[in-house]
Amino acid sequence: MTSPYQFAHDAYAARLRQSFDHLAPGEESGEVVRVAGRVMLLRTQGRLTFATLRDSSGEVQLFCLEAATEGYEAFTRLHLGDWVGAVGEVVRTQRGELSVKVATWAVLAEARRTFGEKWAGITDVELRYRHREADLWANETTRASLRRRSDVVRALREHCWAQGFVEVETPILNAVPTGAAARPFVTFHNALDSEFFLRIAPELWLKRLVVGGFERVFELGRVFRNEGVSPRHNPEFTMLELYAAYWDYADMMRFTEELVAGAVAAVLGTTELVYQGRAVSFATPWARRPMAELVSEALGEEVTVRTPRATLAALLAERGVEVADAWGAGRCVLELFEHLCEGDLWAPTFVTDYPVEVSPLARRHRDDPELTERFEAFVTGRELANGFSELNDPVEQRARFEDQARLAAAGEDETMSIDEDYIASLEWGLPPTAGLGVGVDRLAMIVADAANIREVIAFPTLKPRREG
RNA sequence: GCGCCGGUAGCUCAAUUGGCAGAGCAUUUGACUCUUAAUCAACAGGUUCCGGGUUCAAGUCCCGGCCGGCGCACCA
C-alpha cells in the first residue's frame, strides 16, 4: 500500500470540541467529519480501540469498533506518532469523551522514531534543541513558546504597517560590517572574488532609504554577531529596525512604548505579565531617566560626563572593572551604568541621553553637546530596544567614524567601521529622523516567560556534532 | 575564550564504600467491547559520550577529548 499523497480533511480537534459541546455521553451526532493528525496515545481493548489524535489545534479521541471500523486490526497496530487521517461520525462515548467514531481511516505517514516517554516527554535539552520537531510534539511549552514568538512578530509588523511604515529588505551580505559595534561573520563570494560580512545591523541601509524618500521604513530580519553564546545571546538573532523622518527621539520613545506594550497586549490580552516569577507592567507611559542621573543615584554622588575621567575610572576600578586607556569619561559613565544600574531596571524604563563617545550614529543633544539624543529601553534588567535622533550631518558623521577608527587603533575590539557610501548618502541630505532597533527574541522571551533565548528560537545555534 | 556542573536502553530515570548495569514508558508477542499516561502477562532491548590510566574488579576513581547546561567575559 503506497502512502497517500493527499487527505481531504475538514475538521479540527478544537473546533469539534466547541461545536459538539452539547453532545451527551453515549450520544451520536449523525455528523461525519474528516480529521487528521498524529496518534499520541493508543488504548486497545479487544474489539474496541481508543486513540488520542492531535492536530495543530488540539486533541480529539478516535473511537474504533471491530464491527464498525474498516481495517480495524491494522488500526490496533498503529504506532505512537503515526500520522493518520480518519473519517467518521462525531460521538460522545459512554464515559463522556468526545470522539470520532472511525468508519474509514488511512496511515498518512509512519513515525519510525518515538517522540519520547509519553508522560515525561523529552527533557534532554540537547535533543530538544537539535531535534525541535520532536520537542514540539513532546512538549506543550515548546509549542506555546514558539507560537508566542510568532504572535509577537505578527503584532510588531502589524503595528508598523498601521503606522504607515513600509517594510523593506536590505542586504545581508555587506562589504563593510557597520551600523553597530560588533565582530562580524566573514564569508566569500567566488565570482566577485570578494570578502563579505554578514550584517551586524541594517541601520545604514535603512537610513539611505529615508534619504531616498521612504519617510517611514522598517525591516524585521536576522542579524549576525560573531560573539559569545549565552542564555540571552544567539549568534543570529532577529531585530526590528525602523526609521521615521521628521521625528526626534522623544517621538520615537512614545512610538516604542506603544509598539511594545501593544505587542504584549496583542499576544497576552494585557500589558501585565509575570516574567520568571516577577510581575512586570508594560502599561504606558514608561519611565524616562537620564543615564547620568541613574548612575549618580546608584553611586550616591553626582557624576556626569564632565566628571574628570580619573574620578570615574577610580569609581570603576573600585568595583573591579578594568578601565582601558582608550576610554574617555563618556565610556566610563556607560560602564558605571552597566555595572550599577542596568540589572535593576525591571519595569520598562527609557534610559536617555547617552554620551557622545559611545553613540557614533546619534545626534548631539540639543541642550548638551557632550550627550546625544539617544535612549535605550530596559526591562527585566535587560536591554530591549535602542533608539535615537539620527546624526544627519555628514561632516560630523565622518569625524565620529574617525574617532571610532582611533579607538580601533588603540586596541578596542569592537568599533564601528567607516562607511564612505553612507557618508555620501548623508551628503544628499537625511531629513531629521529618529530610528529604533528592537530585540525581537528578547521581547519574545518576556512574552513566553522564557529564561533562555533558545526557547524562543526554533533552531538555536549549537556546535555541530562531530562524527566519529 | 575561562570556571563550575552534567552525559547510563529509543524516551524518562535508578545503580550503597569501586563488587553480576536495573525499572517505567516505547518496541515485539498474547489477553481484553467504553478507554483516558487504560490494564494484565511474556519476550527483547546496553560501546554506561569517546580515548587512555589505576585496580583482582570501574557507570563509579585519575588524565585527555567531545557535546550540553549555568556563571564570567563580549554583546542586543
Side-chain angles (χ1 to χ4, degrees), chain A residues 69 256 389:
Chain A
T69 303
T256 302
S389 300

Side-chain angles (χ1 to χ4, degrees), chain A residues 55-103:
Chain A
D55 64 20
S56 58
S57 74
E59 294 179 347
V60 69
Q61 181 168 267
L62 299 182
F63 175 38
C64 298
L65 285 160
E66 187 177 40
T69 303
E70 200 174 287
Y72 174 81
E73 210 269 334
F75 191 95
T76 67
R77 288 201 308 270
L78 283 171
H79 287 140
L80 303 192
D82 283 349
W83 290 91
V84 163
V87 182
E89 184 185 356
V90 180
V91 303
R92 193 175 291 282
T93 59
Q94 289 166 26
R95 294 290 172 85
E97 185 71 29
L98 188 75
S99 307
V100 173
K101 188 174 166 187
V102 178

